[in-house]
Amino acid sequence: MAAGSSGGGGQLRSKSEADSGFLGLRPTSVDPALRRRRRGPRNKKRGWRRLAQEPLGLEVDQFLEDVRLQERTSGGLVSEAPDEKLFFVDKGSKDRELNKKRTKGQKRSLLLKKPLRIDLILENTSKIPAPKDILAHQVPNAKKLKRKDQLWEKLVKQGEVPRDVRRAQARLLNPPVAKAKPGPQDTVERPFYDLWAKDNPLERPLAGQDTFFLEQTKKKGVKRPPHLHTKPSQAPAVEVTPAGASYNPSFEDHQNLLWKAHEVELQRQKEAEKLERQLALPPAEQVATQESTFQEMCQGLLEESDEEGELGEGQGKDPEAGADNTGGAKASAMPARLAAVEKKTERQRQREKAARMLRVQQAAVRAARLRHQELFRLRGIKIQVAQRLAELARRREQRRAQRLAEADRPRRLGRLKYQAPDIDVQLSSELSGSLRTLKPEGNILRDRFKSFQRRNMIEPRERAKFKRKYKVKLVEKRAFREIQL
């Protein structure tokens, strides 16, 4: 039993106790007093854990946690708190009587003053004040400012004062005159003026100064080009809709608006039918066949081949006649060439010179006679000039009238033409006598966009077409391919 117990105890003993033997009497053992005690590093986390697990460390942690709890809840140690803070006198039934005597209104006001539970949960219950933020109380350049204040204290003793103090003293000695506030009668009597006119009161002090100097000093704006002040179109920004578009129109106005919408639809249908007729296939009689296509391709070739064949037959039948014809042509060409190359005689040159001089003299005499005759044609010339000026004035007026007529029309600003929007109209069955049951027509954003196009502020546009950059590839998944019905 003893042996078993000793054996079991030997298993539970530590390695150091097993090595030391009984009372350290082994030959290799050392005196426990002289043996050095093993200590781990205390500045490592392993040492902290070892000290915290010891009884003394646990007691210290528990004491410090208790102190921190007392500081959070009561603001200090309970043992150091006075009796007035720890105890109170219970006065009994007075508070209960006061609660019973309160009316419902007083109780409701007390309930309203009571904070919500969520606010109480989120409220900071710790009695420990927040740590002081040192950076928030630091002043930048504090030493420099302190030295500056000390310097000014010395200068004040010597009789010198800072500039801002001197200015404040001067304002006290010579206070500024208070400006009289304009009353309501002055505001009424003040004349109105155009802010954008050239002679407005705001620009009178700048009159007579250099324009470049005023532009560089930002006292005068840069001169705008004159076309910025002209509108691109004289059309109104907001067009008044016709009376037939009202929610409760008269019968005539509504029918007139329906007729206009009907005319627009008819014109659109005619254009679509015209396009279909132009793009339609020809009838069966006019369809091109293989034979007609071949004849059209060989239209000029067959006539040339026939002429060449006739020419060849004629040469084959009478070669001598052909030779005679060619010889005669060569003989007639030779004398003409010799006549052109033959040298002129002196007499011929003199005659040509005299003829040229005579023609020049006749042209001069004719021009002089015409000038002399124009003196008697002054009345007719004046009539022609007046007619020409009247024609030019008529054309100018016509161009001006055309420009005025086209001032309200949209111009061609891009590759697309302006297309008027559809007329917003409701059928007779869709009309409603009240605004509550009225069906909305049109879109205000689309209406403003079309208004910009009509007034030549933006060019007519169309929605961008989506074009795929790659070809769509259809792939059949393996899971779908394996399904067999």
Side-chain angles (χ1 to χ4, degrees), residues 230-347:
T230 59
K231 294 183 178 180
S233 176
Q234 299 300 327
V238 179
E239 289 186 351
V240 180
T241 55
S246 175
Y247 75 97
N248 191 12
S250 63
F251 179 76
E252 292 80 6
D253 296 338
H254 187 251
Q255 291 300 317
N256 293 335
L257 187 62
L258 279 177
W259 178 255
K260 290 181 182 178
H262 177 67
E263 291 293 334
V264 172
E265 290 295 329
L266 280 181
Q267 184 66 23
R268 190 176 299 171
Q269 186 177 359
K270 288 180 181 179
E271 292 178 358
E273 291 176 356
K274 181 181 178 181
L275 184 61
E276 288 180 359
R277 286 196 306 270
Q278 292 175 350
L279 299 178
L281 293 174
E285 295 81 8
Q286 300 180 3
V287 175
T289 59
Q290 187 174 3
E291 183 179 356
S292 62
T293 306
F294 180 74
Q295 288 180 0
E296 185 178 356
M297 293 173 63
C298 302
Q299 193 167 5
L301 300 176
L302 298 176
E303 295 177 358
E304 294 176 0
S305 62
D306 294 343
E307 291 177 0
E308 290 176 359
E310 291 175 359
L311 212 76
E313 290 176 0
Q315 289 178 0
K317 290 180 180 179
D318 197 358
E320 295 179 359
D324 294 340
N325 291 337
T326 54
K330 290 181 181 178
S332 62
M334 289 295 291
R337 193 179 303 164
L338 292 174
V341 180
E342 187 179 356
K343 188 176 181 183
K344 294 180 181 180
T345 61
E346 188 69 23
R347 191 175 183 84

Side-chain angles (χ1 to χ4, degrees), residues 35 39 94 103 240 253 340 389 423:
R35 185 171 52 190
R39 294 182 179 179
K94 290 185 178 180
T103 61
V240 180
D253 296 338
L389 292 177
I423 300 176

Side-chain angles (χ1 to χ4, degrees), residues 3 53 62 85 92 196 213 231 329 396 434 470:
Q53 292 174 0
Q62 188 176 1
K85 192 174 181 180
W196 308 109
F213 171 74
K231 294 183 178 180
R396 192 182 305 111
S434 65
Y470 55 89

